[in-house]
Amino acid sequence: MWKVAEEVPETKVQLKPEVKVDTVPDPWRGFSDPVQQKPEVKVDAALDPWRGFSQPVQIQPEVKVDAAPGPWRGFSQPGGPVKEDVNSRLPVEPAALGGTNCKIDLVFLIDGSWSIGKRRFRIQKLFLNQMADVLDVGISGPLMGIVQYGDDPYTEFSLRSYFNSKDLKNAIDKIPQKGGYSNVGKALSYINKNYFSDASGNRGAAPNVAVVLVDGWPTDKVEEASRLARESGINIFFVTIEGADDNERSNVVEPNFVDKAVCRTNGHFSINVPSWFGLHKVVNPLVKRMCDIDKLVCSKTCLNAADIVFIIDGSSSVGTGNFRTVLQFIANITSEFEISDTDTRIGAVQYTYEQRLEFGFDKYSTKQDVVNAIMRIGYWSGGTSTGAAITYASEQLFSKSKPNKRKIMIVITDGRSYDDVRGPAATAHRNGVIAYAVGVAWAAQDELESIATDPDKDHSFFVDEFDSLYKFVGKIIQNICTEYNSQPRN
């Protein structure tokens, strides 16, 4: 967003018998530049996080202050400043919600554009300080870094820069505002390519999380950059503050940019804050969401960033009833994945002596549509040329896979192939296809092992009866995810 930062006139306070207060409270009261008074109040700069904001003023009658004042006192409270000493203005250490139960690798993308203004930029840093406290940053828990964006992104510090909240907060206090436009898409591309690396302190086993703070709206598009970042395993949260009103929406570069940026539109990965003065209210809710590892579905890219092809044996030995059982097995596996144009995509090939494309990656974009299409597949009947079917799937489907997608092939067969499977399987493996072989009844064990990616024990399965196929659904999903999470990001 490119809007002129709001400058608020300095509040002049007369220190004579009485302070006159407007009958309509100024929402910026208490956020003006420091008021010079005699005698001067001297505060150690290293200890006072409130430096740069209004100094307390003596008012009669004295207003009683709660013994444990919140760290945001003096920002949003109407009616002017209250009497309090220097120590009362120090933030209270909140109870930690993170720690060892919140092992995530986290980066905040903070808005350094000119549109945010200097005062709001300081509020943003106070918010980051409180986040550091609540997260309880440490090597056995969450690690936190910061990237500031404007015209270009800039790494303020990496994941391995600070291993405790105290040092981290001191570093946050010293971050200067860079200025420029609000190029959020550029910043997302930057962290995807540069931030979550071993050199930056990425721990591998910890989910990668990026929280984007946006004042208003971005000045570039975010959808494509967000998609690529999500497909690389980064969980993206958006916190938008003071969004566009009805008169400003025509200025927004990409309408509904938040829904396009996050991996779900159910509100879990996005928070809208009407005013900067309310930003502190989302600290605990945001930490709870980030630390709920099971709900970080974007990190489970085994479920939402794969191209999966089912190669289905439709030979005469299968039979109509067993073929329906195979389709249900495929539907059960499919139902475990997140299906959409930008998440996992499904394709299906049925084969006998010949091959038939039942549907490609682009045919269906919702889970229900894919499952319905699977269950509608008609039984073909014929011979068994498994090798030719693998080649067909590679040429017709995997050649069209998107970048950053894992290519997964699941072959289901009930007998020995009439043609060679070793050559086509080896070619698929060389092209980056991860192959699973599921054999039933008369399937040849040596062929299953040739089709399957090494190690065979994780990619090859055999059952005596079709009715036992369901037992392998959970195992196949688990192996797909375990293998994906152990691999370096593309």
Side-chain angles (χ1 to χ4, degrees):
M1 166 184 144
W2 187 248
K3 61 184 182 185
V4 179
E6 202 179 336
E7 289 297 330
V8 179
E10 188 175 83
T11 303
K12 295 182 179 180
V13 180
Q14 299 293 328
L15 300 179
K16 300 207 176 173
E18 177 181 354
V19 176
K20 294 182 179 180
V21 182
D22 294 338
T23 55
V24 179
D26 180 2
W28 287 90
R29 183 179 299 285
F31 203 72
S32 59
D33 292 330
V35 178
Q36 299 299 323
Q37 305 179 40
K38 300 291 185 178
E40 181 181 355
V41 179
K42 295 182 178 180
V43 182
D44 189 330
L47 295 177
D48 185 10
W50 298 90
R51 187 173 213 68
F53 303 102
S54 56
Q55 297 293 335
V57 181
Q58 299 294 332
I59 300 178
Q60 296 296 334
E62 179 178 328
V63 178
K64 294 182 178 180
V65 182
D66 189 286
W72 293 85
R73 181 180 299 285
F75 287 81
S76 58
Q77 298 296 332
V82 297
K83 177 183 178 182
E84 50 188 358
D85 60 23
V86 172
N87 291 331
S88 72
R89 288 184 281 109
L90 291 174
V92 175
E93 295 292 329
L97 298 174
T100 56
N101 293 323
C102 183
K103 189 174 182 180
I104 60 174
D105 288 341
L106 167 67
V107 61
F108 276 92
L109 276 64
I110 65 173
D111 192 337
S113 64
W114 290 131
S115 70
I116 193 176
K118 293 182 179 179
R119 295 182 176 92
R120 291 176 175 87
F121 189 76
R122 290 200 293 266
I123 293 180
Q124 189 173 216
K125 292 200 294 183
L126 286 169
F127 170 76
L128 294 173
N129 271 329
Q130 200 170 30
M131 289 294 300
D133 270 333
V134 177
L135 282 166
D136 189 19
V137 171
I139 191 64
S140 59
L143 293 180
M144 175 176 158
I146 292 179
V147 168
Q148 182 179 171
Y149 67 88
D151 289 337
D152 296 296
Y154 175 79
T155 298
E156 297 292 348
F157 37 86
S158 69
L159 296 169
R160 63 171 54 193
S161 295
Y162 301 101
F163 296 115
N164 62 75
S165 295
K166 181 180 178 182
D167 292 342
L168 176 61
K169 289 163 62 179
N170 288 336
I172 290 170
D173 289 338
K174 298 173 184 176
I175 296 176
Q177 184 179 4
K178 301 295 183 185
Y181 287 89
S182 301
N183 290 332
V184 176
K186 197 172 185 179
L188 286 167
S189 296
Y190 173 81
I191 64 164
N192 186 29
K193 295 176 182 177
N194 303 299
Y195 199 84
F196 291 105
S197 64
D198 293 341
S200 296
N202 184 46
R203 291 175 289 182
N208 296 155
V209 179
V211 178
V212 187
L213 298 174
V214 183
D215 175 48
W217 58 88
T219 51
D220 64 349
K221 293 186 177 181
V222 303
E223 182 175 15
E224 181 67 9
S226 297
R227 180 183 67 80
L228 292 174
R230 294 198 315 269
E231 290 180 356
S232 293
I234 302 174
N235 295 273
I236 300 174
F237 289 80
F238 262 64
V239 179
T240 52
I241 307 99
E242 298 182 4
D245 59 28
D246 292 339
N247 296 324
E248 295 173 319
R249 283 176 185 159
S250 61
N251 299 324
V252 178
V253 174
E254 190 175 29
N256 302 318
F257 67 90
V258 173
D259 288 346
K260 295 175 181 178
V262 299
C263 71
R264 299 291 176 272
T265 57
N266 62 4
H268 184 78
F269 291 90
S270 58
I271 299 176
N272 178 257
V273 185
S275 167
W276 279 94
F277 293 121
L279 186 58
H280 65 285
K281 297 179 181 178
V282 306
V283 171
N284 285 355
L286 180 58
V287 171
K288 288 179 181 177
R289 295 185 193 188
M290 292 190 302
C291 295
D292 191 348
I293 306 298
D294 290 337
K295 291 186 179 179
L296 292 182
V297 292
C298 293
S299 68
K300 299 178 182 177
T301 49
C302 53
L303 299 182
N304 62 21
D307 282 344
I308 302 176
V309 174
F310 291 95
I311 300 179
I312 311 164
D313 186 343
S315 62
S316 301
S317 58
V318 175
T320 303
N322 289 333
F323 189 78
R324 300 300 301 171
T325 302
V326 170
L327 296 183
Q328 187 61 60
F329 169 69
I330 295 170
N332 290 344
I333 293 176
T334 300
S335 295
E336 295 296 319
F337 290 88
E338 301 296 335
I339 309 295
S340 79
D341 291 334
T342 58
D343 293 314
T344 289
R345 304 184 304 170
I346 305 293
V349 171
Q350 184 180 178
Y351 72 95
T352 56
Y353 286 125
E354 299 177 293
Q355 308 83 39
R356 184 169 73 195
L357 178 63
E358 300 295 350
F359 56 87
F361 294 137
D362 298 330
K363 182 69 173 179
Y364 304 105
S365 59
T366 70
K367 183 182 300 187
Q368 192 58 56
D369 286 347
V370 172
V371 169
N372 290 343
I374 290 169
M375 298 309 295
R376 288 196 303 266
I377 294 175
Y379 176 47
W380 203 355
S381 186
T384 309
S385 294
T386 308
I390 293 172
T391 299
Y392 178 86
S394 297
E395 294 174 350
Q396 298 297 317
L397 289 171
F398 287 126
S399 62
K400 301 174 184 178
S401 285
K402 291 183 178 181
N404 290 335
K405 293 285 189 182
R406 299 284 277 187
K407 295 179 285 189
I408 298 175
M409 175 176 71
I410 302 177
V411 180
I412 304 104
T413 182
D414 83 325
R416 181 173 289 278
S417 177
Y418 294 165
D419 64 355
D420 174 60
V421 300
R422 297 176 187 274
T427 300
H429 297 164
R430 285 195 299 271
N431 290 331
V433 175
I434 300 169
Y436 288 81
V438 181
V440 188
W442 300 280
Q445 187 64 38
D446 61 319
E447 289 188 347
L448 296 178
E449 292 176 358
S450 295
I451 293 169
T453 296
D454 291 332
D456 296 337
K457 64 182 181 62
D458 293 331
H459 300 88
S460 176
F461 306 92
F462 178 83
V463 291
D464 291 324
E465 299 177 348
F466 284 91
D467 288 342
S468 297
L469 278 172
Y470 73 92
K471 297 178 181 178
F472 289 134
V473 172
K475 183 65 174 175
I476 290 173
I477 298 297
Q478 179 183 353
N479 288 2
I480 288 174
C481 287
T482 298
E483 181 174 51
Y484 187 89
N485 292 335
S486 67
Q487 297 296 314
R489 184 170 294 114
N490 290 336

